[in-house]
Amino acid sequence: MPELPEVETVKRGLAPTMEGARVTRLELRRADLRFPFPDALADRVSGRIIVSLGRRAKYLLVDLDDGNTLISHLGMSGSFRIEEGAGAATPGEFHHARSKDEKHDHVVFHLEGASGPRRVIYNDPRRFGFMDMVERADLAAHPFFRDLGPEPTGNELGAAYLAERFRDKAQPLKSALLDQKNIAGLGNIYVCEALWRSHLSPVRAAGTLVTAGGRPKEQLNLLVAAIRDVIADAIAAGGSSLRDHIQTDGSLGYFQHSFSVYDREGQACRTPGCGGTVARIVQAGRSTFYCATCQK
């Protein structure tokens, strides 16, 4: 499933085409994706101007000029492509197979902007993605968002905040980091990478990073810095291209070639002087990759 950097990459790729454009027609080619579309969604979006694109956790947000926000989640195989002009060609060189069957083109934004007509098409073979609509003023109270913690790139995320969340917790550190109530949008891949960078074991208790008085230990400061850095690096690299994820221009991110621990089971740890080997364990049904030699 695309993680936060992938969704940020999609947002940035779509913004030049969608922001400021008028939706002349929203075409829904089926009644549902993972969930049914909201009532009268096509009528509510058609004719509206897209003010801006945003992101919260792993959700893409399309703000409209009437105060409503269209929420989109890519699920496991969802992707957007941009088609402009009569040729309707999709630019970019594809390194992995991508669905080109129109039966998987489920939502089409017909747009009119300064550069003329264009289409933004949502394709989702597995249909695990979904869309919803909410008034922008009510966004924070929406069930998708009301319990989310701060963004891993925002100023609210700090060692003091995590110390308050982790204090006296016996929960494994990796599980605590994946809990969206603690940090929004942080997923399996980048948790593994951040724990490796901060030399922390995914199986240690989250509460061991907090003093008896509730203050963050230095290890927690290092973890927060590692989270920020690994997300920033992934966004800068265009997102990791796992499975079906493709950037909106058809190209793929290459951060996966820089993974230090994720999906490197049995390979040498990249920590200088470590000499350990990357191991894979399963936590809560998900693969965890780490080096037991340098991650304590």
Side-chain angles (χ1 to χ4, degrees):
M1 184 175 293
E3 295 198 21
L4 184 155
E6 285 75 45
V7 180
E8 181 67 22
T9 297
V10 170
K11 185 204 80 173
R12 295 183 183 188
L14 290 174
T17 295
M18 296 187 75
E19 289 185 342
R22 180 181 295 276
V23 183
T24 57
R25 181 164 64 101
L26 179 66
E27 180 182 356
L28 304 179
R29 295 182 172 177
R30 55 179 302 113
D32 58 9
L33 292 170
R34 182 176 175 183
F35 310 119
F37 290 114
D39 292 340
L41 179 64
D43 292 337
R44 295 168 67 188
V45 175
S46 297
R48 304 264 55 99
I49 293 175
I50 297 173
V51 177
S52 64
L53 265 64
R55 179 195 55 74
R56 177 70 167 115
K58 302 175 186 179
Y59 297 91
L60 180 69
L61 307 176
V62 182
D63 287 330
L64 305 176
D65 63 347
D66 64 349
N68 284 316
T69 295
L70 180 67
I71 304 167
S72 176
H73 194 285
L74 297 175
M76 294 184 69
S77 64
S79 63
F80 286 93
R81 74 176 185 269
I82 300 168
E83 296 183 349
E84 299 188 39
T90 302
E93 180 180 354
F94 292 91
H95 296 264
H96 293 291
R98 177 181 182 174
S99 170
K100 297 181 180 179
D101 193 331
E102 285 193 1
K103 71 182 180 183
H104 301 312
D105 290 347
H106 303 308
V107 180
V108 183
F109 294 81
H110 297 266
L111 306 175
E112 183 68 42
S115 59
R118 71 208 79 162
R119 301 194 305 167
V120 172
I121 300 170
Y122 177 75
N123 181 288
D124 192 348
R126 302 178 192 176
R127 299 203 308 273
F128 285 170
F130 53 86
M131 294 185 181
D132 201 358
M133 179 82 90
V134 64
E135 290 187 19
R136 179 69 192 190
D138 297 332
L139 190 64
H142 191 282
F144 294 159
F145 305 110
R146 62 190 177 199
D147 294 326
L148 289 179
E151 292 282 319
T153 55
N155 293 330
E156 292 180 46
L157 178 64
Y161 163 79
L162 284 183
E164 182 178 348
R165 300 290 300 185
F166 290 175
R167 187 176 184 180
D168 298 326
K169 291 290 179 65
Q171 183 182 24
L173 183 53
K174 186 193 175 192
S175 298
L177 292 173
L178 287 176
D179 186 341
Q180 299 297 292
K181 295 179 181 180
N182 292 329
I183 305 175
L186 199 57
N188 191 45
I189 296 171
Y190 300 111
V191 167
C192 289
E193 291 293 301
L195 288 172
W196 177 83
R197 290 191 184 200
S198 53
H199 302 297
L200 293 171
S201 170
V203 300
R204 72 180 291 168
T208 62
L209 301 183
V210 186
T211 68
R215 298 180 60 83
K217 295 182 180 179
E218 180 57 26
Q219 292 165 308
L220 191 51
N221 286 303
L222 294 174
L223 176 59
V224 170
I227 291 170
R228 291 183 180 278
D229 289 346
V230 75
I231 294 295
D233 287 348
I235 291 174
S240 61
S241 57
L242 296 181
R243 292 184 178 267
D244 300 302
H245 173 70
I246 299 174
Q247 292 187 42
T248 53
D249 67 353
S251 62
L252 291 167
Y254 290 98
F255 187 67
Q256 77 275 20
H257 296 308
S258 298
F259 286 160
S260 296
V261 69
Y262 184 81
D263 205 24
R264 297 189 66 246
E265 180 183 7
Q267 299 181 45
C269 177
R270 291 179 173 172
T271 298
C274 172
T277 301
V278 175
R280 173 186 172 273
I281 59 174
V282 177
Q283 293 179 287
R286 309 182 75 177
S287 293
T288 296
F289 298 91
Y290 79 113
C291 174
T293 301
C294 68
Q295 291 181 244
K296 302 298 183 180

